[in-house]
Amino acid sequence: MAGSLSEADVLADLKRSLHDAAMAFDAAADADFKRALAAALVAMEKKRPRTLLGTLTIATAAERVAITQTDFAAYKTHVWGTRTMKPWQCGYPGALPRIQAVQEGPGWALMFDPPPTAAHVAAYGTDFKFWYYGRHSLGPNDTDTSTLAPADRPLLLLRAQAELMRELSLRNVNKPVALRDGMSGTPRNSTPAALYQALLREFEEAA
């Protein structure tokens, strides 16, 4: 849902929510907070999935076709070749190829196994329509390109808080006295490791 949140607003809320703990993250240009927010947006892809329709142009014998959708996160299914044709009908092109998304350098591509034949293209056309899961994003200073609903702001902040606590626990991994409760080896409730576990559990259990 566009027009919901902006990155600037969420970053400000995130820093305020950490209170004094925010001082531990002092990278230039809010890099620490932006990194946590980016991780939270990826986690929201499963919590609040976006199903989008994409179109690619395919050709006979094309084994791979680059995915041009910049917000592509994962392949779902396709609607190409779904027109019902029986094997005994004239023009039946044969079984459809198996299709999956594969990483190709920094981007993604759809792999056809086996590649579509001339009969497939003649029967179903060159416009390959498919459903995919889209990435979530926040507009930098406005809400025009944001994809989350306003009601999901607390959930996004919760996951970003968990990510920051995870980073704090890793920074302190060489300080066992500060992180452990006596000789039990169990993180104290107030340590970053314990807070990370609690916040992540709360996020995962949220509706």
Side-chain angles (χ1 to χ4, degrees):
M1 178 178 178
S4 306
L5 308 168
S6 74
E7 183 184 66
D9 288 343
V10 174
L11 284 174
D13 282 351
L14 178 59
K15 286 185 279 188
R16 282 193 294 266
S17 73
L18 294 176
H19 301 286
D20 291 345
M23 293 186 294
F25 303 97
D26 54 3
D30 288 334
D32 293 330
F33 299 104
K34 289 181 179 179
R35 184 171 58 252
L37 187 56
L41 285 169
V42 172
M44 291 295 288
E45 291 172 12
K46 291 185 177 180
K47 203 70 175 176
R48 297 290 187 267
R50 300 173 64 214
T51 298
L52 304 171
L53 182 64
T55 303
L56 298 174
T57 301
I58 62 172
T60 299
E63 182 181 23
R64 294 192 182 196
V65 180
I67 294 173
T68 57
Q69 286 71 21
T70 57
D71 59 353
F72 178 87
Y75 175 71
K76 188 174 183 179
T77 187
H78 64 86
V79 293
W80 178 80
T82 54
R83 180 166 60 90
T84 303
M85 294 185 69
K86 304 299 183 183
W88 56 83
Q89 288 181 300
C90 179
Y92 176 69
L96 291 173
R98 294 178 295 275
I99 303 165
Q100 62 179 331
V102 295
Q103 281 197 288
E104 194 169 65
W108 288 84
L110 291 182
M111 186 173 73
F112 295 79
D113 181 26
T117 65
H120 286 126
V121 173
Y124 305 125
T126 58
D127 288 340
F128 181 87
K129 295 184 182 296
F130 66 103
W131 295 105
Y132 68 97
Y133 295 107
R135 295 193 181 282
H136 278 298
S137 63
L138 296 176
N141 296 300
D142 55 59
T143 61
D144 290 344
T145 59
S146 299
T147 60
L148 289 166
D152 287 326
R153 178 192 291 262
L155 194 59
L156 178 65
L157 287 170
L158 178 64
R159 186 59 182 83
Q161 291 166 345
E163 190 66 20
L164 290 170
M165 291 303 101
R166 185 185 71 86
E167 289 198 11
L168 274 183
S169 67
L170 290 174
R171 291 182 188 183
N172 293 329
V173 72
N174 63 338
K175 300 176 183 178
V177 174
L179 286 175
R180 302 297 177 183
D181 182 10
M183 299 299 291
S184 67
T186 302
R188 296 176 182 172
N189 290 337
S190 60
T191 64
L195 288 171
Y196 166 69
Q197 294 169 4
L199 291 169
L200 187 60
R201 182 168 56 252
E202 184 178 350
F203 173 82
E204 292 173 343
E205 293 176 354

